[in-house]
Amino acid sequence: MIRFYFHPTPNPAKVALFLEETGLPYEVVPVDTAKGEQHMPAFRAINPNGKVPAIIDTEGPGGREARVFDSTAILLYLAEKTGRFLGAPEDRPELLSWLLFLASGLGPFSGQAVHFQHAAPQGLDYAVNRYRREVERHYKVLDDHLATRSFVVGETYTIADMSAWGWLDRAARVLKVESDPLSGFPNLKRWFAQIDGREAVARARAVGKDHSFKPSGDEESRRALFPSNYPPAAAE
């Protein structure tokens, strides 16, 4: 059994997609980040960084319980555990390269674009421009790469596609447009439609729908989501 610590945001969505693609048995454990549940000692024992997603594999290496945190680490761990969605062995260097491109580039810049456009105070035009343009640059890298191929790595659907789908599913919010956010990236748009049409995607989107998560936007949620913006409680 996989205990899946989840909030309905892009990085957990990647793991939800993998779990639904493989049919691995799992239990969803909601972590309401707007309430600050990611900072509770019980969760910090699973992910010291206080972020979702994280998993506990009750049948980890050697039959022992194992924790894994960070969406890319989880995708690699589960792909290796199941032997699925890793692509061909000869494509391993490309798989690792694109996974880390997504983990260190497209994901963080997308997150910062969302933050400065939707959560930060008005007037930070430099930051908005910086992160929007970097997101678009990363989209262009992927768009160029997909010009002559169906998948991010090799000839088959892999965890690299799942990882990219997680953030690209939120492209309208990332780019702050109402519709057709990938219109300027035709190869990426074609690829996204192909991945988004998979049956497991609809199931992944339904994960956590039975739980009522707190909306963000008030002072409590800002302190929970962006604690480094505030002084430590003892210093207030």
Coordinates of all heavy atoms in Angstrom, one line a residue, residues 54-126:
A54 N 4.3 13.6 -0.9 CA 5.2 12.7 -0.3 C 4.4 11.4 -0.3 O 3.2 11.3 -0.4 CB 5.6 13.1 1.1
I55 N 5.2 10.3 -0.1 CA 4.5 9.0 0.0 C 5.2 8.2 1.1 O 6.4 8.4 1.4 CB 4.5 8.1 -1.3 CG1 6.0 7.7 -1.7 CG2 3.8 8.8 -2.4 CD1 6.0 6.7 -2.8
I56 N 4.5 7.3 1.7 CA 5.0 6.2 2.5 C 4.7 4.9 1.7 O 3.5 4.6 1.5 CB 4.4 6.1 3.9 CG1 4.8 7.4 4.7 CG2 4.9 4.9 4.6 CD1 6.3 7.4 5.1
D57 N 5.7 4.1 1.4 CA 5.5 2.8 0.8 C 5.6 1.8 1.9 O 6.7 1.6 2.5 CB 6.6 2.6 -0.3 CG 6.4 1.2 -1.0 OD1 5.4 0.5 -0.6 OD2 7.2 0.9 -1.8
T58 N 4.5 1.1 2.3 CA 4.6 0.2 3.4 C 5.3 -1.1 3.0 O 5.6 -1.9 3.9 CB 3.1 -0.2 3.8 OG1 2.4 -0.8 2.7 CG2 2.4 1.1 4.3
E59 N 5.6 -1.3 1.7 CA 6.4 -2.4 1.3 C 7.6 -1.9 0.5 O 7.8 -2.1 -0.7 CB 5.6 -3.4 0.5 CG 4.4 -4.0 1.3 CD 3.6 -4.9 0.4 OE1 3.8 -5.0 -0.8 OE2 2.7 -5.5 1.0
G60 N 8.5 -1.1 1.2 CA 9.6 -0.5 0.5 C 10.8 -1.5 0.4 O 10.6 -2.8 0.6
P61 N 12.0 -1.1 0.0 CA 13.1 -2.0 -0.1 C 13.3 -2.8 1.1 O 13.3 -2.3 2.3 CB 14.3 -1.0 -0.3 CG 13.6 0.3 -0.9 CD 12.3 0.3 -0.2
G62 N 13.6 -4.1 0.9 CA 13.8 -5.0 2.0 C 12.5 -5.3 2.8 O 12.6 -5.9 3.9
G63 N 11.3 -4.9 2.2 CA 10.1 -5.2 2.9 C 9.8 -4.2 4.0 O 8.9 -4.3 4.8
R64 N 10.7 -3.1 4.2 CA 10.5 -2.2 5.2 C 9.8 -0.9 4.7 O 9.8 -0.6 3.5 CB 11.9 -1.7 5.7 CG 12.7 -2.8 6.4 CD 14.1 -2.4 6.8 NE 14.9 -2.1 5.6 CZ 16.1 -1.7 5.7 NH1 16.7 -1.5 6.9 NH2 16.8 -1.5 4.6
E65 N 9.1 -0.2 5.6 CA 8.4 1.0 5.2 C 9.4 2.0 4.8 O 10.5 2.2 5.4 CB 7.6 1.5 6.5 CG 6.7 2.6 6.2 CD 5.8 2.9 7.3 OE1 4.7 2.3 7.5 OE2 6.2 3.8 8.2
A66 N 9.1 2.8 3.7 CA 10.0 3.7 3.1 C 9.3 5.0 2.9 O 8.1 5.0 2.4 CB 10.7 3.2 1.9
R67 N 9.9 6.1 3.2 CA 9.3 7.4 2.8 C 10.0 7.9 1.5 O 11.2 7.7 1.3 CB 9.5 8.5 3.9 CG 10.9 8.9 4.1 CD 11.1 10.0 5.1 NE 12.5 10.5 5.1 CZ 12.9 11.5 5.9 NH1 12.1 12.1 6.7 NH2 14.2 11.8 5.9
V68 N 9.3 8.7 0.7 CA 9.9 9.3 -0.5 C 9.2 10.7 -0.6 O 7.9 10.7 -0.5 CB 9.7 8.5 -1.8 CG1 10.5 9.1 -2.9 CG2 10.0 7.0 -1.6
F69 N 10.0 11.7 -0.8 CA 9.4 13.1 -1.0 C 10.0 13.7 -2.2 O 11.1 13.3 -2.6 CB 9.5 13.9 0.3 CG 10.9 14.1 0.8 CD1 11.7 15.2 0.4 CD2 11.4 13.3 1.8 CE1 13.0 15.3 0.8 CE2 12.7 13.5 2.3 CZ 13.5 14.5 1.8
D70 N 9.3 14.7 -2.7 CA 9.6 15.4 -4.0 C 9.0 14.6 -5.1 O 9.2 13.4 -5.2 CB 11.1 15.7 -4.2 CG 11.3 16.6 -5.4 OD1 11.3 16.0 -6.5 OD2 11.4 17.8 -5.2
S71 N 8.2 15.3 -6.0 CA 7.5 14.6 -7.0 C 8.4 13.8 -8.0 O 8.1 12.7 -8.4 CB 6.6 15.6 -7.8 OG 7.4 16.6 -8.4
T72 N 9.5 14.4 -8.3 CA 10.4 13.7 -9.2 C 11.0 12.5 -8.6 O 11.1 11.4 -9.2 CB 11.6 14.7 -9.7 OG1 11.0 15.8 -10.3 CG2 12.5 14.0 -10.7
A73 N 11.4 12.6 -7.3 CA 11.9 11.4 -6.6 C 10.9 10.3 -6.6 O 11.1 9.1 -6.7 CB 12.4 11.8 -5.2
I74 N 9.6 10.7 -6.3 CA 8.5 9.7 -6.2 C 8.3 9.0 -7.5 O 8.1 7.8 -7.6 CB 7.3 10.4 -5.7 CG1 7.5 10.9 -4.2 CG2 6.1 9.4 -5.7 CD1 6.4 11.8 -3.8
L75 N 8.2 9.8 -8.6 CA 8.0 9.2 -9.9 C 9.1 8.2 -10.2 O 8.9 7.1 -10.7 CB 8.0 10.3 -11.0 CG 6.7 11.2 -11.0 CD1 6.9 12.3 -12.0 CD2 5.5 10.4 -11.3
L76 N 10.4 8.6 -10.0 CA 11.5 7.7 -10.3 C 11.4 6.4 -9.4 O 11.6 5.3 -9.9 CB 12.8 8.4 -10.0 CG 13.4 9.2 -11.2 CD1 14.5 10.1 -10.7 CD2 13.8 8.3 -12.3
Y77 N 11.1 6.6 -8.1 CA 11.0 5.5 -7.2 C 9.9 4.5 -7.6 O 10.1 3.3 -7.7 CB 10.7 6.0 -5.8 CG 10.4 4.9 -4.8 CD1 11.5 4.2 -4.2 CD2 9.1 4.6 -4.4 CE1 11.2 3.2 -3.3 CE2 8.9 3.6 -3.5 CZ 9.9 2.9 -2.9 OH 9.6 1.8 -2.1
L78 N 8.7 5.0 -7.9 CA 7.6 4.2 -8.2 C 7.8 3.5 -9.6 O 7.4 2.4 -9.8 CB 6.3 5.0 -8.2 CG 5.8 5.4 -6.8 CD1 4.6 6.3 -7.0 CD2 5.6 4.2 -5.9
A79 N 8.4 4.2 -10.5 CA 8.7 3.7 -11.8 C 9.7 2.5 -11.7 O 9.5 1.4 -12.3 CB 9.2 4.7 -12.8
E80 N 10.7 2.7 -10.9 CA 11.7 1.6 -10.7 C 11.1 0.5 -9.9 O 11.4 -0.7 -10.1 CB 12.9 2.2 -9.9 CG 13.7 3.1 -10.8 CD 14.9 3.8 -10.1 OE1 14.9 3.7 -8.9 OE2 15.7 4.4 -10.8
K81 N 10.2 0.8 -8.9 CA 9.5 -0.3 -8.2 C 8.7 -1.2 -9.0 O 8.6 -2.4 -8.9 CB 8.7 0.4 -7.1 CG 7.9 -0.6 -6.2 CD 7.0 0.2 -5.2 CE 6.1 -0.7 -4.4 NZ 6.8 -1.5 -3.4
T82 N 7.9 -0.5 -10.0 CA 7.0 -1.3 -10.8 C 7.6 -1.7 -12.1 O 7.1 -2.6 -12.8 CB 5.8 -0.4 -11.1 OG1 6.2 0.8 -11.8 CG2 5.0 0.0 -9.8
G83 N 8.7 -1.1 -12.5 CA 9.3 -1.4 -13.8 C 8.5 -0.8 -15.0 O 8.6 -1.3 -16.1
R84 N 7.8 0.2 -14.7 CA 6.9 0.8 -15.7 C 7.2 2.3 -16.0 O 7.6 3.0 -15.1 CB 5.4 0.6 -15.4 CG 5.0 -0.9 -15.2 CD 3.5 -1.0 -15.0 NE 2.8 -0.5 -16.1 CZ 1.4 -0.4 -16.2 NH1 0.7 -0.7 -15.1 NH2 0.8 0.1 -17.2
F85 N 7.0 2.7 -17.2 CA 7.1 4.1 -17.6 C 8.5 4.7 -17.5 O 8.6 5.9 -17.3 CB 6.0 4.9 -16.9 CG 4.6 4.5 -17.1 CD1 3.9 4.0 -16.1 CD2 4.1 4.5 -18.4 CE1 2.6 3.5 -16.3 CE2 2.8 4.1 -18.6 CZ 2.0 3.6 -17.6
L86 N 9.5 3.8 -17.5 CA 10.9 4.3 -17.5 C 11.5 4.4 -18.9 O 12.6 5.0 -19.0 CB 11.7 3.3 -16.7 CG 11.7 3.4 -15.2 CD1 12.3 2.2 -14.5 CD2 12.3 4.7 -14.7
G87 N 10.8 4.0 -19.9 CA 11.3 4.0 -21.3 C 12.4 2.9 -21.5 O 12.6 2.1 -20.6
A88 N 13.0 3.0 -22.6 CA 14.1 2.0 -22.9 C 15.4 2.3 -22.2 O 15.7 3.5 -21.9 CB 14.4 2.1 -24.4
P89 N 16.1 1.3 -21.8 CA 17.3 1.5 -21.0 C 18.3 2.5 -21.7 O 19.0 3.3 -21.0 CB 18.0 0.1 -20.9 CG 16.8 -0.8 -21.1 CD 15.8 -0.1 -22.0
E90 N 18.4 2.5 -23.0 CA 19.3 3.4 -23.7 C 18.9 4.8 -23.6 O 19.7 5.8 -23.9 CB 19.5 3.0 -25.2 CG 18.2 2.9 -26.0 CD 17.5 1.6 -26.0 OE1 17.7 0.8 -25.0 OE2 16.8 1.3 -27.0
D91 N 17.6 5.1 -23.3 CA 17.1 6.4 -23.1 C 17.2 7.0 -21.7 O 16.8 8.1 -21.5 CB 15.6 6.5 -23.5 CG 15.4 6.2 -25.0 OD1 16.3 6.6 -25.8 OD2 14.4 5.6 -25.4
R92 N 17.9 6.2 -20.8 CA 18.0 6.7 -19.4 C 18.6 8.0 -19.3 O 18.2 8.9 -18.5 CB 18.7 5.6 -18.6 CG 18.9 5.9 -17.2 CD 17.6 5.8 -16.4 NE 17.8 5.8 -15.0 CZ 16.9 5.3 -14.1 NH1 15.8 4.8 -14.5 NH2 17.2 5.4 -12.8
P93 N 19.7 8.3 -20.0 CA 20.3 9.6 -19.8 C 19.4 10.8 -20.2 O 19.3 11.8 -19.6 CB 21.6 9.6 -20.8 CG 21.9 8.1 -20.9 CD 20.6 7.4 -20.8
E94 N 18.6 10.6 -21.3 CA 17.7 11.6 -21.7 C 16.5 11.7 -20.7 O 16.1 12.8 -20.4 CB 17.1 11.2 -23.1 CG 17.9 11.5 -24.3 CD 17.9 13.0 -24.6 OE1 16.8 13.5 -24.9 OE2 19.0 13.6 -24.6
L95 N 16.1 10.6 -20.2 CA 15.0 10.6 -19.2 C 15.4 11.4 -17.9 O 14.7 12.3 -17.5 CB 14.6 9.2 -18.7 CG 13.5 9.1 -17.7 CD1 12.2 9.4 -18.3 CD2 13.5 7.7 -17.1
L96 N 16.6 11.2 -17.4 CA 17.1 11.9 -16.3 C 17.3 13.4 -16.6 O 16.9 14.3 -15.8 CB 18.4 11.3 -15.8 CG 18.3 9.9 -15.2 CD1 19.7 9.4 -14.9 CD2 17.4 9.9 -13.9
S97 N 17.8 13.7 -17.8 CA 18.0 15.1 -18.2 C 16.7 15.8 -18.2 O 16.6 17.0 -17.7 CB 18.7 15.1 -19.5 OG 20.0 14.6 -19.4
W98 N 15.6 15.3 -18.8 CA 14.4 16.0 -19.0 C 13.6 16.0 -17.7 O 13.0 17.0 -17.3 CB 13.5 15.4 -20.1 CG 14.0 15.7 -21.4 CD1 14.7 14.9 -22.3 CD2 14.0 17.0 -22.0 NE1 15.1 15.7 -23.4 CE2 14.6 16.9 -23.3 CE3 13.4 18.2 -21.7 CZ2 14.7 18.0 -24.2 CZ3 13.5 19.3 -22.5 CH2 14.1 19.2 -23.8
L99 N 13.7 15.0 -16.9 CA 13.1 15.1 -15.5 C 13.7 16.2 -14.7 O 12.9 16.9 -14.0 CB 13.3 13.7 -14.8 CG 12.4 12.6 -15.2 CD1 12.8 11.3 -14.5 CD2 10.9 12.9 -14.9
L100 N 15.0 16.4 -14.7 CA 15.6 17.4 -14.0 C 15.4 18.8 -14.6 O 15.3 19.8 -13.9 CB 17.1 17.1 -13.7 CG 17.3 15.9 -12.8 CD1 18.8 15.6 -12.7 CD2 16.7 16.1 -11.5
F101 N 15.3 18.9 -15.9 CA 14.9 20.1 -16.5 C 13.5 20.6 -16.0 O 13.3 21.7 -15.7 CB 14.9 19.9 -18.1 CG 14.1 21.0 -18.8 CD1 14.8 22.1 -19.2 CD2 12.8 20.8 -19.2 CE1 14.1 23.1 -19.9 CE2 12.1 21.8 -19.9 CZ 12.7 22.9 -20.3
L102 N 12.6 19.6 -15.9 CA 11.3 19.9 -15.4 C 11.3 20.3 -14.0 O 10.6 21.2 -13.5 CB 10.3 18.8 -15.7 CG 10.1 18.5 -17.2 CD1 9.5 17.1 -17.4 CD2 9.2 19.5 -17.9
A103 N 12.0 19.5 -13.2 CA 12.1 19.7 -11.7 C 12.8 21.0 -11.3 O 12.3 21.6 -10.3 CB 12.7 18.5 -11.1
S104 N 13.8 21.4 -12.0 CA 14.6 22.5 -11.6 C 14.3 23.8 -12.4 O 14.7 24.9 -12.0 CB 16.1 22.2 -11.7 OG 16.4 22.0 -13.1
G105 N 13.5 23.6 -13.5 CA 13.3 24.8 -14.4 C 11.8 25.1 -14.5 O 11.2 26.0 -13.9
L106 N 11.1 24.3 -15.3 CA 9.7 24.6 -15.7 C 8.9 24.6 -14.4 O 8.0 25.5 -14.3 CB 9.2 23.5 -16.7 CG 7.8 23.8 -17.2 CD1 7.7 23.5 -18.7 CD2 6.7 23.1 -16.4
G107 N 9.0 23.7 -13.5 CA 8.2 23.7 -12.3 C 8.4 24.9 -11.4 O 7.4 25.6 -11.1
P108 N 9.6 25.1 -11.0 CA 9.8 26.3 -10.1 C 9.5 27.6 -10.7 O 8.9 28.5 -10.1 CB 11.3 26.2 -9.7 CG 11.6 24.8 -9.9 CD 10.8 24.3 -11.0
F109 N 9.8 27.8 -12.0 CA 9.5 29.1 -12.6 C 7.9 29.2 -12.8 O 7.4 30.3 -12.7 CB 10.2 29.2 -14.0 CG 11.6 29.7 -13.8 CD1 12.6 28.8 -14.0 CD2 11.9 31.0 -13.5 CE1 14.0 29.2 -13.9 CE2 13.2 31.4 -13.3 CZ 14.2 30.6 -13.5
S110 N 7.3 28.1 -13.1 CA 5.8 28.2 -13.1 C 5.2 28.5 -11.8 O 4.3 29.4 -11.7 CB 5.2 26.8 -13.6 OG 5.7 26.5 -14.9
G111 N 5.7 27.9 -10.7 CA 5.2 28.3 -9.4 C 5.5 29.7 -9.0 O 4.6 30.4 -8.4
Q112 N 6.6 30.3 -9.4 CA 6.9 31.7 -9.1 C 6.0 32.6 -9.9 O 5.6 33.7 -9.5 CB 8.3 32.0 -9.3 CG 9.3 31.3 -8.3 CD 8.9 31.7 -6.8 OE1 8.6 32.8 -6.5 NE2 9.1 30.7 -5.9
A113 N 5.8 32.2 -11.2 CA 4.9 33.0 -12.0 C 3.5 33.1 -11.4 O 2.8 34.1 -11.4 CB 4.8 32.4 -13.4
V114 N 3.0 31.9 -10.9 CA 1.7 31.9 -10.2 C 1.7 32.8 -9.0 O 0.8 33.6 -8.8 CB 1.3 30.5 -9.9 CG1 0.1 30.4 -8.9 CG2 1.0 29.6 -11.1
H115 N 2.8 32.7 -8.2 CA 2.8 33.5 -7.0 C 2.8 35.0 -7.3 O 2.0 35.7 -6.7 CB 4.1 33.1 -6.2 CG 4.3 33.9 -5.0 ND1 3.6 33.6 -3.8 CD2 5.0 35.0 -4.7 CE1 3.9 34.5 -2.9 NE2 4.8 35.4 -3.4
F116 N 3.6 35.4 -8.2 CA 3.7 36.9 -8.4 C 2.5 37.5 -9.1 O 2.2 38.6 -9.0 CB 5.1 37.2 -9.0 CG 6.2 37.2 -8.1 CD1 7.1 36.1 -8.1 CD2 6.4 38.2 -7.2 CE1 8.1 36.1 -7.2 CE2 7.4 38.2 -6.3 CZ 8.3 37.1 -6.2
Q117 N 1.8 36.6 -9.9 CA 0.7 37.1 -10.6 C -0.6 37.0 -9.8 O -1.6 37.8 -10.0 CB 0.5 36.4 -11.9 CG 1.6 36.6 -12.9 CD 1.4 35.8 -14.2 OE1 1.2 36.4 -15.2 NE2 1.6 34.5 -14.1
H118 N -0.7 36.0 -8.9 CA -1.9 35.8 -8.2 C -1.9 36.0 -6.7 O -3.0 36.1 -6.1 CB -2.4 34.3 -8.5 CG -2.6 34.0 -9.9 ND1 -3.8 34.4 -10.6 CD2 -1.9 33.4 -10.9 CE1 -3.7 34.0 -11.8 NE2 -2.6 33.4 -12.0
A119 N -0.7 36.0 -6.1 CA -0.7 36.0 -4.6 C 0.1 37.2 -4.1 O -0.2 37.7 -3.0 CB -0.1 34.7 -4.1
A120 N 1.1 37.7 -4.8 CA 2.0 38.8 -4.3 C 1.3 40.1 -4.4 O 0.3 40.3 -5.2 CB 3.3 38.8 -5.1
P121 N 1.8 41.1 -3.7 CA 1.2 42.5 -3.8 C 1.4 43.0 -5.2 O 2.3 42.6 -5.9 CB 2.0 43.3 -2.8 CG 2.6 42.2 -1.8 CD 2.8 41.0 -2.6
Q122 N 0.5 43.9 -5.5 CA 0.6 44.6 -6.8 C 1.8 45.4 -6.9 O 2.4 45.9 -5.9 CB -0.7 45.4 -7.1 CG -2.0 44.7 -7.2 CD -2.0 43.8 -8.4 OE1 -1.7 44.2 -9.5 NE2 -2.4 42.5 -8.1
G123 N 2.3 45.7 -8.1 CA 3.4 46.6 -8.3 C 4.7 45.9 -8.5 O 5.7 46.6 -8.7
L124 N 4.8 44.6 -8.5 CA 6.0 43.9 -8.7 C 6.2 43.5 -10.2 O 6.3 42.3 -10.5 CB 6.1 42.6 -7.8 CG 5.9 43.0 -6.3 CD1 5.9 41.7 -5.5 CD2 7.1 43.8 -5.8
D125 N 6.2 44.5 -11.0 CA 6.1 44.2 -12.5 C 7.4 43.5 -12.9 O 7.3 42.7 -13.8 CB 6.0 45.5 -13.2 CG 4.6 46.2 -13.0 OD1 3.7 45.5 -12.5 OD2 4.5 47.4 -13.3
Y126 N 8.5 43.8 -12.4 CA 9.8 43.2 -12.8 C 9.7 41.7 -12.5 O 10.1 40.8 -13.4 CB 11.0 43.7 -12.0 CG 12.3 43.0 -12.3 CD1 13.0 43.3 -13.5 CD2 12.7 41.9 -11.5 CE1 14.2 42.6 -13.8 CE2 13.8 41.2 -11.8 CZ 14.6 41.6 -13.0 OH 15.7 40.9 -13.3

